[in-house]
């Protein structure tokens, strides 16, 4: 898209072409003079649809054409596709009826005859006639943002969204800067700066400025219309006048160029969790009138950046807290194991001196403490719920787990062979141990536990006991940490749930003359038992 004002001449007459160039300088002059392009009729007609350099009629603020050029049918067809509202001035070589009829094919805003151009101004200070007509008909502030422009920018933002939503923590800075460059190039901006809030200041965290620019931290009050930004509103400054505004006269233009007119800018708030976390600034030194549709697209872009930054901040905070939890758990585990080891050593020393019944409660308490420490460490570990999986014989793992349960009067029955499943053997054993301990805690020391395959054709197993079953009061929160009805830590079943989820399995608990844990292996990550 052509974001600068452009006046295009269509014709083969070199004299008229040069005259148009001089008239443009005379009509406006200074730093705000529109770009001037010329194209021959044959070049215009032969241009490809995707060749933007040879389609000067698409995004121009005015056209000057010769009468002979518009008399060509193919050229006239090109003029018919000119956007509505683009003024066309026809320079007529011959003031004949046929000449005027040909000129009307371009739907001109004005017609200037060659004879009028040849008239010398009576006063040296008088403007050239063509310069006068240009000043009357053409607004160099007219910058077009059409449907095609919006569609192209939307495609860029769609790609930007996909890029930013999939970014990793170590890629955030690079990808935000890259997407800013992509948007800036398609929007034909001169610079895009993303300021992030740090206390009372806004620091230029991400900057796209291909021609170089000086950036510095700013307070909110230093942004234009700061009160609007603080209420999450866009702030738009157009350097070009709209058609409804009066034309700048020579004295005003000279003053603007002397004092330095500020660039055309769009400032969009970056909002996360209903807080202003930054400001996105889109700037251009060219004449620019921002339209609502374009500003809305920049608002969408700002939203993508804000969401990416907020999500990454939450991710970093979660990682920091998890690391603190892991460190805390490791320290606590180490400090508690030392006195436990001392107690365990003294229990072993008195094992042969006094009856086992005398020190058995102490031995069970030590074992229980060691189990609690293992469970706490397991819950604190980040992303390490299971290790490598392998085909694992389910019944064999269950029998091994039963040997670690200190309930000599309880009974374990294997109703039928279950087969193998793809699992982490150590974590599967821990699953069984925690379910067994839960049954003993709730069903008593003489509880009976039965394991067998599920009745349906899907892979899975059930673990049932003859205890009191699951109370309706805790059925919905049974696997939550800290939930227990047996005066225990409430961690065991929470770990069971984590192990099941990590394998990609499902678990459900029902009552059938006791509690029944139903575990399904039928998931994409599990292997059906054989």
């Amino acid at each position: 898209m052509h974001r600068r004002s452009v006046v295009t001449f269509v014709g083969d007459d070199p004299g008229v072409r040069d005259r148009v160039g001089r008239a443009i300088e005379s009509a406006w002059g200074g730093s705000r003079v529109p770009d001037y392009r010329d194209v021959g009729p044959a070049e215009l007609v032969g241009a490809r649809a995707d060749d933007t350099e040879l389609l000067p009629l698409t995004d121009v603020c005015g056209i000057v054409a010769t009468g002979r050029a518009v008399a060509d049918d193919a050229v006239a067809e090109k003029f018919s596709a000119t956007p509505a509202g683009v003024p066309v001035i026809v320079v007529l070589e011959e003031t004949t009826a046929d000449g005027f009829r040909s000129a009307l094919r371009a739907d001109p805003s004005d017609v200037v005859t060659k004879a009028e151009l040849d008239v010398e101004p009576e006063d040296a200070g008088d403007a050239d006639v063509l310069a006068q007509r240009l000043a009357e008909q053409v607004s160099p502030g007219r910058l077009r943002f059409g449907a095609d422009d919006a569609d192209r920018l939307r495609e860029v933002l769609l790609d930007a969204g996909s890029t930013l939503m999939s970014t990793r923590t170590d890629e955030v800075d690079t990808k935000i800067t890259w997407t800013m460059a992509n948007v800036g190039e398609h929007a034909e901006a001169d610079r895009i700066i993303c300021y992030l809030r740090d206390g009372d200041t806004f620091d230029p965290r991400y900057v796209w400025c291909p021609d170089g620019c000086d950036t510095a931290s700013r307070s909110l009050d230093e942004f234009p219309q700061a009160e609007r930004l603080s209420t999450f509103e866009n702030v738009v400054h157009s350097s070009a006048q709209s058609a409804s505004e009066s034309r700048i006269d020579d004295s005003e233009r000279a003053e603007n160029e002397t004092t330095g007119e500020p660039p055309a800018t769009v400032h969009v708030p970056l909002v996360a969790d209903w807080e202003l976390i930054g400001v996105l600034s889109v700037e251009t030194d060219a004449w620019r009138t921002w339209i609502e549709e374009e500003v809305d697209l920049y608002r969408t872009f700002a939203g993508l950046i804000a969401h990416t930054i907020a999500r990454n901040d939450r991710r970093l905070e979660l990682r920091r807290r998890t690391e603190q939890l892991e460190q805390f758990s490791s320290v606590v585990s180490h400090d508690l194991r030392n006195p436990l080891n001392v107690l365990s050593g003294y229990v072993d020393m008195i094992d042969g001196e006094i009856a086992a019944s005398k020190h058995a409660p102490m031995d069970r308490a030590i074992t229980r403490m060691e189990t609690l420490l293992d469970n706490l460490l397991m819950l604190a570990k980040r992303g390490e719920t299971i290790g490598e999986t392998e085909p694992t014989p389910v019944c064999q793992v269950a029998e091994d787990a039963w040997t670690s349960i200190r309930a000599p009067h309880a009974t374990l029955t294997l109703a039928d062979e279950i087969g193998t499943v793809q699992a982490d053997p150590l974590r599967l054993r821990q699953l069984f141990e925690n379910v067994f301990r839960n049954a003993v805690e709730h069903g008593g020391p003489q509880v009976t536990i039965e394991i067998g395959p599920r009745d349906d054709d899907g892979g899975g197993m059930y673990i049932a006991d003859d205890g009191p079953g699951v109370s309706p009061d805790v059925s919905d929160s049974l696997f939550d940490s800290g939930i227990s009805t047996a005066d225990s830590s409430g961690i065991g079943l929470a770990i069971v749930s984590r192990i099941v989820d990590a394998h990609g399995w499902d678990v459900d608990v029902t009552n059938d003359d006791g509690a029944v844990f139903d575990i399904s292996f039928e998931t994409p990550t599990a292997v059906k038992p054989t």
Side-chain angles (χ1 to χ4, degrees):
M1 66 185 98
H2 301 293
R3 305 297 292 190
R4 288 182 59 84
S5 298
V6 176
V7 175
T8 295
F9 169 72
V10 181
D12 289 324
D13 190 324
V16 178
R17 180 178 61 240
D18 295 341
R19 187 70 178 269
V20 172
R22 293 194 300 272
I24 291 173
E25 290 287 346
S26 177
W28 293 285
S31 61
R32 295 301 192 185
V33 61
D35 285 350
Y36 175 43
R37 301 181 183 179
D38 65 88
V39 61
E43 187 181 14
L44 177 66
V45 172
R48 300 190 313 273
D50 60 347
D51 195 340
T52 57
E53 291 299 320
L54 295 179
L55 287 177
L57 307 187
T58 305
D59 299 291
V60 299
C61 64
I63 302 171
V64 180
T66 63
R68 293 193 182 96
V70 297
D72 186 306
D73 290 341
V75 174
E77 184 178 349
K78 291 288 186 181
F79 271 81
S80 66
T82 300
V86 176
V88 177
I89 298 175
V90 176
V91 177
L92 199 59
E93 297 91 335
E94 298 178 359
T95 55
T96 63
D98 289 341
F100 276 104
R101 275 195 291 270
S102 296
L104 292 176
R105 303 178 67 185
D107 191 20
S109 305
D110 201 350
V111 176
V112 180
T113 65
K114 192 73 175 292
E116 289 178 289
L117 294 182
D118 293 337
V119 174
E120 293 291 335
E122 295 180 1
D123 191 331
D126 291 343
D128 176 83
V129 64
L130 185 55
Q132 290 179 337
R133 301 295 180 86
L134 283 168
E136 292 170 359
Q137 298 295 336
V138 177
S139 171
R142 180 194 176 282
L143 293 174
R144 180 172 174 268
F145 187 81
D148 291 344
D149 303 329
D151 289 342
R152 284 193 290 270
L153 193 53
R154 285 193 191 94
E155 290 179 4
V156 172
L157 291 179
L158 183 62
D159 291 340
S162 301
T163 298
L164 294 178
M165 291 303 100
S166 60
T167 188
R168 300 194 306 267
T169 297
D170 58 348
E171 299 175 330
V172 168
D173 291 348
T174 300
K175 288 194 173 182
I176 289 180
T177 303
W178 181 84
T179 52
M180 283 172 55
N182 203 17
V183 171
E185 290 169 359
H186 281 78
E188 295 191 8
D190 289 307
R191 52 198 163 272
I192 299 180
I193 304 171
C194 181
Y195 296 88
L196 295 187
R197 189 167 200 162
D198 183 9
D200 293 332
T201 62
F202 288 77
D203 299 326
R205 176 68 176 275
Y206 305 106
V207 178
W208 174 75
C209 190
D211 295 329
C213 57
D214 294 329
T215 55
S217 298
R218 308 165 69 174
S219 66
L220 182 60
D221 292 338
E222 292 179 85
F223 288 96
Q225 301 183 50
E227 68 283 355
R228 290 174 59 86
L229 290 173
S230 64
T231 56
F232 310 153
E233 297 179 76
N234 305 325
V235 176
V236 180
H237 168 71
S238 297
S239 58
Q241 289 184 314
S242 65
S244 62
E245 294 174 317
S246 60
R247 185 179 301 279
I248 298 176
D249 61 29
D250 292 338
S251 61
E252 291 173 320
R253 183 182 302 110
E255 181 181 352
N256 284 340
E257 291 173 0
T258 301
T259 59
E261 183 178 334
T265 58
V266 175
H267 288 89
V268 181
L270 269 66
V271 182
D273 298 327
W274 293 102
E275 290 186 4
L276 181 68
I277 67 168
V279 176
L280 182 70
S281 175
V282 181
E283 303 180 359
T284 177
D285 297 322
W287 276 9
R288 181 73 67 90
T289 298
W290 311 98
I291 65 172
E292 184 176 354
E293 183 177 16
E294 185 177 11
V295 175
D296 287 344
L297 292 174
Y298 298 140
R299 181 70 181 243
T300 299
F301 183 44
L304 289 173
I305 294 176
H307 177 77
T308 301
I309 292 172
R311 184 188 61 177
N312 193 56
D313 287 346
R314 288 192 293 268
R315 185 187 298 167
L316 291 173
E317 177 63 17
L318 179 60
R319 178 180 298 175
R320 185 186 66 82
R321 292 187 179 184
T322 302
E323 289 173 351
Q324 288 179 338
L325 177 60
E326 290 180 3
Q327 184 179 13
F328 171 77
S329 300
S330 297
V331 170
V332 170
S333 173
H334 178 270
D335 291 347
L336 288 178
R337 285 187 192 278
N338 285 336
L340 280 178
N341 289 335
V342 173
L343 289 175
S344 179
Y346 276 102
V347 169
D348 291 340
M349 289 175 60
I350 64 175
D351 186 31
E353 299 179 8
I354 62 176
S357 59
K358 299 287 187 179
H359 64 75
M362 186 185 304
D363 191 28
R364 287 196 298 271
I366 293 172
T367 302
R368 180 60 177 158
M369 283 293 294
E370 290 174 342
T371 301
L372 287 174
L373 287 174
D374 290 338
N375 287 345
L376 285 171
L377 282 175
M378 193 271 184
L379 281 177
K381 285 186 177 180
R382 176 188 57 207
E384 298 177 0
T385 305
I386 63 172
E388 294 294 328
T389 61
E390 59 186 60
T392 303
V394 178
C395 290
Q396 179 181 330
V397 173
E399 290 175 331
D400 292 342
W402 184 251
T403 62
S404 65
I405 304 302
R406 297 193 177 189
H409 301 294
T411 304
L412 174 67
T413 302
L414 299 178
D416 200 355
E417 181 65 27
I418 299 175
T420 63
V421 67
Q422 193 75 14
D424 176 347
L426 293 178
R427 292 306 181 213
L428 181 59
R429 172 172 175 154
Q430 188 174 23
L431 181 152
F432 279 119
E433 288 175 348
N434 286 5
V435 174
F436 294 160
R437 290 194 184 98
N438 181 77
V440 173
E441 289 172 353
H442 293 82
Q446 297 182 345
V447 68
T448 297
I449 302 172
E450 179 179 289
I451 301 176
R454 298 174 65 193
D455 293 335
D456 55 28
D457 294 332
M461 64 179 173
Y462 67 85
I463 307 172
D465 64 56
D466 61 353
V470 179
S471 170
D473 297 337
V474 298
S475 59
D476 294 334
S477 56
L478 189 65
F479 295 106
D480 294 344
S481 291
I483 300 300
S484 176
T485 58
D487 197 24
S488 63
S489 66
I491 297 176
L493 292 186
I495 292 176
V496 169
S497 177
R498 285 191 61 180
I499 294 173
V500 168
D501 289 342
H503 282 90
W505 304 337
D506 290 320
V507 61
D508 190 23
V509 181
T510 58
N511 285 323
D512 186 5
D513 295 329
V516 180
F517 289 78
D518 186 86
I519 300 175
S520 171
F521 301 149
E522 279 293 294
T523 65
T525 58
V527 175
K528 183 176 180 180
T530 57

